[in-house]
Amino acid sequence: MATPDNWKVVTRTVEKIEDIDVSQEMRTSFLEYSYSVIYARALPDARDGLKPVQRRILFQMDQMGLRPDKAHVKSSRVVGDVMGRLHPHGDTAIYDAMVRLAQPFTMRVPMVDGHGNFGSLDDGPAAPRYTEVRMAPAALAMTASLDEDVVDMVPNYDNTYDQPEVLPAAIPNLLVNGAAGIAVGMATNMAPHNLGEVIAGARFLLDNPTAELDELMRFIPGPDLPEGGRIVGLDGIREAYETGRGIFRTRANAHIENISARRKGIIFTELPYLVGPEKIIERIKAGVQSKKLQGISGVQNLTDRHHGTRLLVEVKNSFNAEAVLAQLYQQTPLEDSFGINNVALVDGEPRTLGLKELLQVFLDHRIAVTERRSKFRLRKAEERLHLVAGLLIAVLNIDEVIAVIRSSEDTPTARDRLMLVFDLTQAQADYILELRLRRLTKFSQIELEAEKNDLEEKIAQLRAILDSPARLRELVSAELAEISQQFATPRRTVLLEADAVAAPATKSLKVEDDPCWVLLSGTGRVVRIVGDEPPAHTGPRSPHDAIVTAVKTTNLSEIGVLASDGTVSRLAVVDVPAIPQTQGAPSLAAGADIAQLVLLSKDAKVVTLVPLEDMPVPLAIATAQGKIKRLKPEKAPASGQIEVIRLADGDTVVGAALAPDDTVLVLISDTAQLLRFAADTVRPQGRTGQGIAGMNTEGARVIALGVVAADDISAHGVVTVAGPANALPGTVPGSVKVTPLDRYPAKGRGTMGVRSQRFLRGEDCLTGAWITNLPPRAIGPRGQAMQLPEPDERRDASGTALPTTIVYAS
């Protein structure tokens, strides 16, 4: 029956609904997603130590020709090419990965050479439109021989380009630069190592496949972090090398120094891995506010490009700097933990690897790369040798070859006739037909013969390598040695056993008011020795070991510093650098320059140290104009500078020492006059007294004062040094004389005394004089010990020439 035109045919599509198990579908989808994240994004390959995005960045930069000898290009250009060709996961992820490859504080051996602001431990990088990049020299070793079929090439995400499945990686990058990544259900966190050490361990394993972990750890003792620092405790490292998991502690490098005349500071020059100064400063400020940190008066970040990391923590007076440092290690990231989790892809599967397994995977990869490269080069050399052999036939039979070609109607006919007449292959015949006439000279024949010999030798070497696994392993080892020589740097991180680093947590945070001695050296250095025992004046000689003054006091007391202007300045004992009690004479080299600890008036010099409390006996003070004064033992004012003698115009204090009544005072002038008289002839005076006549100088100047017990004169001597008056101080050594003090007769106070040394030609004054114990010791201008001549019994004899100037004798 016909269908009317206005009828419509309606068809119904039957929908097919399939019931599925939701839990199974979720499980399958999640596993597919997990595998994608693990394999394609988060975990590095154990062979080249790179995540896919890092591998694609280096490969694309290599394809773009961004070699270290080329100019930098904008980061945006590299990011765009990588995203468009190889990695369609967003420009932010690509740029972040490229930045990490360029940061020297993140990578032990950076792979990208960045130009511009690539961030710091506390700040992020600039935008990619502002920064520029190119390959670092080490990246060339990662991509070397890519054009020699050394690795498999796989298609990119849209099958339009090929990319390497793994890079050839001549550098054991996974161990050298470490890795960090979070996948689904697993994560990796690997510490950087020293390139030279890793290669040394890899070469040892290559030669000794059955090597034990302890043997490998002789070459790779532990991580080597980019910013240095210290690793405290090696048990966790060994556990990680054995099982692939472990924890170790990193600690900042610090030293304590005087940052001002009265203040100590802790200087941090190397910080734990990936810990920035600003983060530490925030934690310190929070600790100070919450009272968890004590003894800190300030913190400054003095880091710059020229001096590197320098974080200064100022320590309050009366606080123990070592104990404050221990607090900082305990309460701030200045001591941090690093958890090793060596998870990497092996044959596409995530595995947790120990040190030996990591090295073995890398070595197997390098052996495979070297073998494939050798096969490629062998194939190319054999193909070239085949063509060269054909060329030699053509050159030797050039007339016949030309005749065959000229008589042929077309190129295929000429090729066939050449193959038939000269017994050539098609490749040889085609190559001869494409040959330029300039190659057909006598010199070309010589060149071809030389090239043939070279190719035959090269082919023999390549076949020997491929036929011998031992030769192949030797080649891999030699190439690793070249990489080490080219890129290895000295170790930066110090490895310390846990029991070798006893943090001074047991020390008292505040300095206790214990007894101590403050010593002043002949070169003007001051040091504090904690303890009740008096310091030894004899013992092994060391720089600055001549003790001028030793004052017994306590850590929290004050002592006086007598200056040449007749004033005494206060010095807090706690501000004086402390050294432990030692056997023999203490070395004062660790002390501080006393002129930096007290504020003196212009042109004033430090004369000696004096106690401010409980002065037992009068203090004898001598001036350059011959005045002598014995200061009464009386309580000093509670504060301020103290005037202990009123000086005439142009006069200065030249010496001071405690002088009880049963002592003898000795004054020496620059005209070589010596006066000895009893101390009890000088009546003690108060602080306002001007002193009395001690020595009649008559134009001369007193340069030395000595105080000796009356019954001990025979054990002392006089050291005098003569020289020209017009010479610059310290430039002319002059002559020295040592004479027992008892050879000089006592004279009345106010007289000129007797002559102590006869001047030689060119000498007209004494440049130095000291009353010392016998035998005397002397120190030179650099604090070195000097030999003095034997004592001369003649009190007015001439001196012996000196090799260098004397700073002080005792």
Side-chain angles (χ1 to χ4, degrees):
M1 182 177 69
T3 303
D5 294 339
N6 59 349
W7 283 23
K8 296 181 180 180
V9 178
V10 179
T11 61
R12 182 183 295 273
T13 302
V14 179
E15 295 183 357
K16 181 181 179 181
I17 301 176
E18 182 178 352
D19 292 331
I20 62 171
D21 186 347
V22 175
S23 61
Q24 181 63 34
E25 179 67 21
M26 291 292 293
R27 187 178 299 110
T28 303
S29 299
F30 187 76
L31 286 175
E32 291 177 355
Y33 166 74
S34 301
Y35 179 77
S36 174
V37 172
I38 292 170
Y39 181 76
R41 301 185 72 173
L43 298 185
D45 193 294
R47 293 170 291 179
D48 61 5
L50 297 173
K51 299 179 185 179
V53 63
Q54 296 171 327
R55 184 180 305 115
R56 291 162 181 167
I57 289 171
L58 295 183
F59 172 68
Q60 186 60 38
M61 293 178 74
D62 181 72
Q63 295 297 105
M64 296 171 66
L66 303 180
R67 305 292 193 276
D69 57 344
K70 303 297 183 180
H72 293 80
V73 302
K74 284 291 183 182
S75 299
S76 296
R77 178 181 169 188
V78 177
V79 171
D81 281 6
V82 172
M83 183 171 60
R85 295 173 182 266
L86 306 173
H87 194 77
H89 296 291
D91 56 346
T92 301
I94 298 171
Y95 184 57
D96 288 346
M98 187 167 65
V99 165
R100 187 180 188 278
L101 291 172
Q103 291 175 332
F105 52 84
T106 302
M107 307 287 283
R108 188 60 178 83
V109 180
M111 295 294 169
V112 172
D113 179 10
H115 180 70
N117 178 14
F118 276 80
S120 66
L121 289 168
D122 297 304
D123 298 314
R129 62 183 179 274
Y130 298 119
T131 60
E132 299 177 341
V133 292
R134 65 183 177 188
M135 297 178 73
L140 295 181
M142 297 292 292
T143 60
S145 304
L146 264 177
D147 56 347
E148 295 183 296
D149 190 31
V150 291
V151 294
D152 293 335
M153 302 296 288
V154 295
N156 69 337
Y157 65 94
D158 60 356
N159 296 317
T160 55
Y161 297 98
D162 286 336
Q163 61 182 333
E165 182 186 36
V166 65
L167 293 185
I171 292 176
N173 181 64
L174 188 58
L175 273 169
V176 170
N177 281 322
I182 300 176
V184 179
M186 62 185 65
T188 184
N189 197 34
M190 304 181 66
H193 289 73
N194 184 274
L195 174 62
E197 294 176 355
V198 173
I199 288 182
R203 295 182 67 197
F204 180 79
L205 182 60
L206 195 62
D207 296 336
N208 304 273
T210 61
E212 298 293 334
L213 178 61
D214 290 336
E215 295 177 289
L216 294 175
M217 288 189 67
R218 297 205 320 260
F219 301 93
I220 310 174
D224 187 23
L225 307 176
E227 292 291 282
R230 300 180 180 184
I231 291 178
V232 181
L234 306 184
D235 293 340
I237 294 174
R238 196 189 191 288
E239 181 182 357
Y241 285 170
E242 186 173 3
T243 66
R245 296 175 184 269
I247 297 176
F248 63 85
R249 288 181 297 148
T250 60
R251 179 179 289 179
N253 269 8
H255 66 273
I256 298 170
E257 62 181 44
N258 291 324
I259 59 175
S260 67
R262 296 178 177 270
R263 187 67 57 86
K264 286 185 179 296
I266 304 173
I267 309 296
F268 295 94
T269 55
E270 295 175 358
L271 302 180
Y273 184 45
L274 299 183
V275 176
E278 296 302 326
K279 178 181 179 181
I280 293 173
I281 291 175
E282 289 178 6
R283 290 288 294 274
I284 291 175
K285 290 180 178 178
V288 171
Q289 291 175 358
S290 63
K291 304 298 179 65
K292 292 182 179 180
L293 292 175
Q294 300 180 26
I296 297 175
S297 61
V299 57
Q300 300 180 52
N301 184 9
L302 305 179
T303 302
D304 58 33
R305 293 182 179 179
H306 302 290
H307 302 93
T309 302
R310 188 174 174 86
L311 186 64
L312 168 62
V313 177
E314 300 178 8
V315 180
K316 292 181 179 179
N317 287 343
S318 78
F319 276 80
N320 189 315
E322 288 83 1
V324 173
L325 176 60
Q327 278 191 117
L328 291 170
Y329 284 144
Q330 294 171 358
Q331 302 290 338
T332 70
L334 288 167
E335 181 172 298
D336 202 9
S337 295
F338 188 96
I340 297 178
N341 189 22
N342 295 336
V343 178
L345 296 175
V346 180
D347 296 330
E349 298 180 359
R351 287 178 52 190
T352 302
L353 306 173
L355 177 63
K356 184 175 180 179
E357 290 80 5
L358 287 168
L359 292 174
Q360 192 62 59
V361 171
F362 169 74
L363 290 175
D364 292 343
H365 174 58
R366 284 305 300 171
I367 291 172
V369 166
T370 307
E371 184 177 14
R372 291 182 61 163
R373 185 188 64 200
S374 299
K375 289 180 179 179
F376 178 87
R377 292 177 178 177
L378 175 61
R379 184 170 65 252
K380 290 296 183 180
E382 289 175 339
E383 292 174 357
R384 178 60 185 170
L385 179 62
H386 182 65
L387 296 178
V388 169
L391 284 177
L392 282 172
I393 292 174
V395 171
L396 293 175
N397 303 277
I398 187 62
D399 295 333
E400 293 85 346
V401 169
I402 293 176
V404 169
I405 295 174
R406 286 177 61 96
S407 61
S408 300
E409 294 182 358
D410 52 26
T411 299
T413 303
R415 181 179 63 240
D416 294 340
R417 292 181 65 191
L418 286 174
M419 294 170 59
L420 179 65
V421 173
F422 299 104
D423 193 20
L424 300 175
T425 64
Q426 182 177 344
Q428 290 174 325
D430 287 336
Y431 193 72
I432 291 171
L433 289 173
E434 295 173 358
L435 189 69
R436 294 185 179 183
L437 291 178
R438 65 184 182 184
R439 295 291 305 273
L440 305 179
T441 63
K442 180 178 180 180
F443 292 105
S444 294
Q445 180 179 351
I446 297 174
E447 293 174 359
L448 289 172
E449 291 285 354
E451 185 179 0
K452 178 184 177 182
N453 294 335
D454 291 341
L455 288 170
E456 290 175 345
E457 182 180 353
K458 182 179 181 180
I459 290 172
Q461 293 175 352
L462 291 171
R463 285 177 176 167
I465 291 172
L466 293 172
D467 293 341
S468 172
R471 290 282 297 274
L472 182 61
R473 298 171 81 89
E474 289 177 1
L475 178 59
V476 172
S477 180
E479 291 178 349
L480 287 175
E482 292 179 3
I483 292 294
S484 177
Q485 184 176 7
Q486 184 176 2
F487 297 110
T489 56
R491 167 170 278 277
R492 299 173 185 170
T493 302
V494 178
L495 303 176
L496 299 172
E497 293 286 355
D499 55 0
V501 186
T506 58
K507 292 189 176 181
S508 174
L509 185 61
K510 274 203 167 188
V511 177
E512 299 296 333
D513 196 20
D514 295 327
C516 65
W517 288 81
V518 179
L519 313 180
L520 177 65
S521 77
T523 53
R525 303 188 72 81
V526 65
V527 72
R528 171 166 48 103
I529 298 181
V530 180
D532 204 18
E533 294 295 325
H537 287 260
T538 61
R541 297 191 176 189
S542 60
H544 311 293
D545 66 353
I547 300 174
V548 177
T549 309
V551 177
K552 185 178 180 180
T553 180
T554 61
N555 288 326
L556 301 183
S557 299
E558 289 184 326
I559 61 172
V561 180
L562 176 60
S564 58
D565 61 358
T567 61
V568 172
S569 302
R570 297 175 178 275
L571 172 61
V573 175
V574 73
D575 292 337
V576 179
I579 62 174
Q581 187 84 42
T582 57
Q583 296 294 328
S587 174
L588 306 181
D593 187 349
I594 192 171
Q596 298 178 353
L597 299 179
V598 293
L599 183 62
L600 302 177
S601 60
K602 186 179 179 181
D603 299 328
K605 297 180 180 179
V606 174
V607 177
T608 189
L609 304 179
V610 296
L612 290 182
E613 299 176 4
D614 302 326
M615 186 184 298
V617 293
L619 177 71
I621 303 173
T623 74
Q625 294 181 2
K627 294 286 187 179
I628 189 73
K629 175 182 178 179
R630 285 209 300 161
L631 180 65
K632 285 181 181 179
E634 56 185 16
K635 186 174 181 180
S639 62
Q641 202 173 54
I642 308 166
E643 185 181 39
V644 294
I645 184 172
R646 189 171 300 173
L647 298 174
D649 292 341
D651 202 1
T652 59
V653 174
V654 296
L658 295 178
D661 290 343
D662 58 350
T663 56
V664 172
L665 305 181
V666 182
L667 300 177
I668 304 176
S669 70
D670 58 359
T671 54
Q673 296 295 122
L674 183 149
L675 174 62
R676 174 163 67 93
F677 57 93
D680 57 9
T681 61
V682 181
R683 181 175 57 86
Q685 295 179 319
R687 291 195 308 273
T688 59
Q690 299 181 4
I692 60 177
M695 186 177 191
N696 184 3
T697 54
E698 293 187 359
R701 295 182 66 84
V702 174
I703 60 173
L705 164 69
V707 179
V708 180
D711 57 357
D712 197 30
I713 293 179
S714 59
H716 287 74
V718 179
V719 178
T720 53
V721 178
N726 57 359
L728 292 175
T731 59
V732 179
S735 63
V736 63
K737 185 172 77 74
V738 180
T739 306
L741 179 58
D742 58 10
R743 297 299 182 268
Y744 299 94
K747 296 291 183 179
R749 180 180 57 81
T751 64
M752 295 181 62
V754 297
R755 185 164 61 183
S756 60
Q757 181 172 346
R758 186 184 300 274
F759 295 140
L760 297 174
R761 178 176 298 179
E763 299 175 347
D764 53 10
C765 74
L766 290 185
T767 57
W770 300 271
I771 290 83
T772 70
N773 294 307
L774 291 177
R777 294 180 301 164
I779 55 175
R782 293 186 302 275
Q784 74 276 22
M786 294 183 60
Q787 186 69 33
L788 293 178
E790 292 296 325
D792 192 335
E793 299 293 332
R794 301 170 299 171
R795 61 178 177 81
D796 61 347
S798 300
T800 303
L802 281 168
T804 185
T805 56
I806 291 179
V807 174
Y808 189 81
S810 65

